[in-house]
mmCIF file of all heavy atoms in Angstrom:
data_model
loop_
_atom_site.group_PDB
_atom_site.id
_atom_site.type_symbol
_atom_site.label_atom_id
_atom_site.label_comp_id
_atom_site.label_asym_id
_atom_site.label_seq_id
_atom_site.Cartn_x
_atom_site.Cartn_y
_atom_site.Cartn_z
ATOM 1 N N THR A 204 120.225 -100.747 5.181
ATOM 2 C CA THR A 204 120.700 -102.106 4.902
ATOM 3 C C THR A 204 121.578 -102.651 6.036
ATOM 4 O O THR A 204 121.849 -103.840 6.080
ATOM 5 C CB THR A 204 121.516 -102.172 3.592
ATOM 6 O OG1 THR A 204 122.673 -101.351 3.725
ATOM 7 C CG2 THR A 204 120.685 -101.712 2.405
ATOM 8 N N TYR A 243 125.168 -116.702 6.352
ATOM 9 C CA TYR A 243 125.847 -116.033 7.458
ATOM 10 C C TYR A 243 125.128 -114.702 7.703
ATOM 11 O O TYR A 243 124.937 -113.918 6.761
ATOM 12 C CB TYR A 243 127.321 -115.818 7.087
ATOM 13 C CG TYR A 243 128.074 -114.904 8.007
ATOM 14 C CD1 TYR A 243 128.093 -115.137 9.390
ATOM 15 C CD2 TYR A 243 128.762 -113.797 7.518
ATOM 16 C CE1 TYR A 243 128.772 -114.294 10.241
ATOM 17 C CE2 TYR A 243 129.457 -112.948 8.364
ATOM 18 C CZ TYR A 243 129.451 -113.194 9.721
ATOM 19 O OH TYR A 243 130.128 -112.351 10.570
ATOM 20 N N CYS A 244 124.703 -114.477 8.935
ATOM 21 C CA CYS A 244 123.881 -113.286 9.223
ATOM 22 C C CYS A 244 124.591 -111.985 8.835
ATOM 23 O O CYS A 244 123.940 -111.018 8.423
ATOM 24 C CB CYS A 244 123.538 -113.226 10.706
ATOM 25 S SG CYS A 244 122.535 -114.604 11.285
ATOM 26 N N GLY A 245 125.904 -111.950 8.964
ATOM 27 C CA GLY A 245 126.653 -110.748 8.612
ATOM 28 C C GLY A 245 126.437 -110.331 7.165
ATOM 29 O O GLY A 245 126.572 -109.153 6.820
ATOM 30 N N ASP A 246 126.088 -111.284 6.324
ATOM 31 C CA ASP A 246 125.828 -110.945 4.920
ATOM 32 C C ASP A 246 124.500 -110.219 4.740
ATOM 33 O O ASP A 246 124.213 -109.721 3.648
ATOM 34 C CB ASP A 246 125.822 -112.219 4.054
ATOM 35 C CG ASP A 246 127.215 -112.818 3.931
ATOM 36 O OD1 ASP A 246 128.198 -112.071 4.121
ATOM 37 O OD2 ASP A 246 127.325 -114.024 3.650
ATOM 38 N N PHE A 247 123.706 -110.158 5.798
ATOM 39 C CA PHE A 247 122.433 -109.441 5.718
ATOM 40 C C PHE A 247 122.539 -108.014 6.261
ATOM 41 O O PHE A 247 121.539 -107.306 6.351
ATOM 42 C CB PHE A 247 121.326 -110.199 6.459
ATOM 43 C CG PHE A 247 121.028 -111.545 5.852
ATOM 44 C CD1 PHE A 247 120.638 -112.605 6.658
ATOM 45 C CD2 PHE A 247 121.141 -111.755 4.489
ATOM 46 C CE1 PHE A 247 120.367 -113.857 6.111
ATOM 47 C CE2 PHE A 247 120.872 -112.997 3.929
ATOM 48 C CZ PHE A 247 120.480 -114.051 4.741
ATOM 49 N N ILE A 248 123.749 -107.593 6.621
ATOM 50 C CA ILE A 248 123.930 -106.191 7.028
ATOM 51 C C ILE A 248 125.010 -105.519 6.180
ATOM 52 O O ILE A 248 125.698 -104.605 6.630
ATOM 53 C CB ILE A 248 124.234 -106.040 8.540
ATOM 54 C CG1 ILE A 248 125.326 -107.010 8.993
ATOM 55 C CG2 ILE A 248 122.974 -106.256 9.368
ATOM 56 C CD1 ILE A 248 125.786 -106.768 10.433
ATOM 57 N N ASP A 249 125.142 -106.004 4.926
ATOM 58 C CA ASP A 249 126.018 -105.293 3.985
ATOM 59 C C ASP A 249 125.129 -104.510 3.011
ATOM 60 O O ASP A 249 123.917 -104.428 3.195
ATOM 61 C CB ASP A 249 126.975 -106.259 3.267
ATOM 62 C CG ASP A 249 126.238 -107.315 2.455
ATOM 63 O OD1 ASP A 249 125.004 -107.161 2.219
ATOM 64 O OD2 ASP A 249 126.888 -108.292 2.044
ATOM 65 N N ASP A 250 125.748 -103.934 1.985
ATOM 66 C CA ASP A 250 124.980 -103.083 1.068
ATOM 67 C C ASP A 250 124.325 -103.845 -0.081
ATOM 68 O O ASP A 250 123.562 -103.271 -0.848
ATOM 69 C CB ASP A 250 125.896 -101.998 0.460
ATOM 70 C CG ASP A 250 126.168 -100.875 1.444
ATOM 71 O OD1 ASP A 250 125.369 -100.708 2.387
ATOM 72 O OD2 ASP A 250 127.175 -100.173 1.262
ATOM 73 N N ASP A 251 124.643 -105.115 -0.217
ATOM 74 C CA ASP A 251 124.087 -105.895 -1.324
ATOM 75 C C ASP A 251 122.871 -106.662 -0.818
ATOM 76 O O ASP A 251 123.005 -107.611 -0.031
ATOM 77 C CB ASP A 251 125.163 -106.864 -1.840
ATOM 78 C CG ASP A 251 124.666 -107.703 -3.010
ATOM 79 O OD1 ASP A 251 123.454 -107.642 -3.331
ATOM 80 O OD2 ASP A 251 125.487 -108.435 -3.587
ATOM 81 N N ILE A 252 121.683 -106.258 -1.251
ATOM 82 C CA ILE A 252 120.477 -106.859 -0.680
ATOM 83 C C ILE A 252 119.962 -108.049 -1.481
ATOM 84 O O ILE A 252 118.915 -108.603 -1.161
ATOM 85 C CB ILE A 252 119.337 -105.827 -0.496
ATOM 86 C CG1 ILE A 252 118.841 -105.302 -1.845
ATOM 87 C CG2 ILE A 252 119.773 -104.698 0.416
ATOM 88 C CD1 ILE A 252 117.492 -104.600 -1.725
ATOM 89 N N ARG A 253 120.688 -108.470 -2.509
ATOM 90 C CA ARG A 253 120.169 -109.575 -3.318
ATOM 91 C C ARG A 253 120.096 -110.877 -2.525
ATOM 92 O O ARG A 253 119.151 -111.647 -2.662
ATOM 93 C CB ARG A 253 121.021 -109.746 -4.576
ATOM 94 C CG ARG A 253 120.783 -108.593 -5.563
ATOM 95 C CD ARG A 253 121.737 -108.628 -6.718
ATOM 96 N NE ARG A 253 123.125 -108.537 -6.264
ATOM 97 C CZ ARG A 253 124.177 -108.508 -7.080
ATOM 98 N NH1 ARG A 253 124.011 -108.594 -8.375
ATOM 99 N NH2 ARG A 253 125.397 -108.405 -6.581
ATOM 100 N N ASP A 254 121.087 -111.132 -1.665
ATOM 101 C CA ASP A 254 121.040 -112.351 -0.847
ATOM 102 C C ASP A 254 119.965 -112.230 0.243
ATOM 103 O O ASP A 254 119.331 -113.227 0.617
ATOM 104 C CB ASP A 254 122.418 -112.683 -0.248
ATOM 105 C CG ASP A 254 123.018 -111.529 0.534
ATOM 106 O OD1 ASP A 254 122.570 -110.374 0.386
ATOM 107 O OD2 ASP A 254 123.950 -111.789 1.314
ATOM 108 N N ASP A 255 119.738 -111.009 0.719
ATOM 109 C CA ASP A 255 118.659 -110.792 1.693
ATOM 110 C C ASP A 255 117.314 -111.151 1.051
ATOM 111 O O ASP A 255 116.460 -111.795 1.673
ATOM 112 C CB ASP A 255 118.605 -109.324 2.147
ATOM 113 C CG ASP A 255 119.932 -108.785 2.671
ATOM 114 O OD1 ASP A 255 120.961 -108.968 1.992
ATOM 115 O OD2 ASP A 255 119.934 -108.169 3.746
ATOM 116 N N ILE A 256 117.144 -110.733 -0.201
ATOM 117 C CA ILE A 256 115.899 -111.033 -0.917
ATOM 118 C C ILE A 256 115.747 -112.543 -1.111
ATOM 119 O O ILE A 256 114.659 -113.103 -0.905
ATOM 120 C CB ILE A 256 115.845 -110.265 -2.259
ATOM 121 C CG1 ILE A 256 115.617 -108.781 -1.988
ATOM 122 C CG2 ILE A 256 114.739 -110.824 -3.158
ATOM 123 C CD1 ILE A 256 115.626 -107.893 -3.225
HETATM 124 CA CA1 LIG B 251 123.363 -108.814 1.853
#
Side-chain angles (χ1 to χ4, degrees):
T204 62
Y243 168 54
C244 297
D246 290 337
F247 297 147
I248 48 172
D249 61 14
D250 283 338
D251 181 352
I252 66 164
R253 289 172 300 182
D254 54 343
D255 307 49
I256 288 177

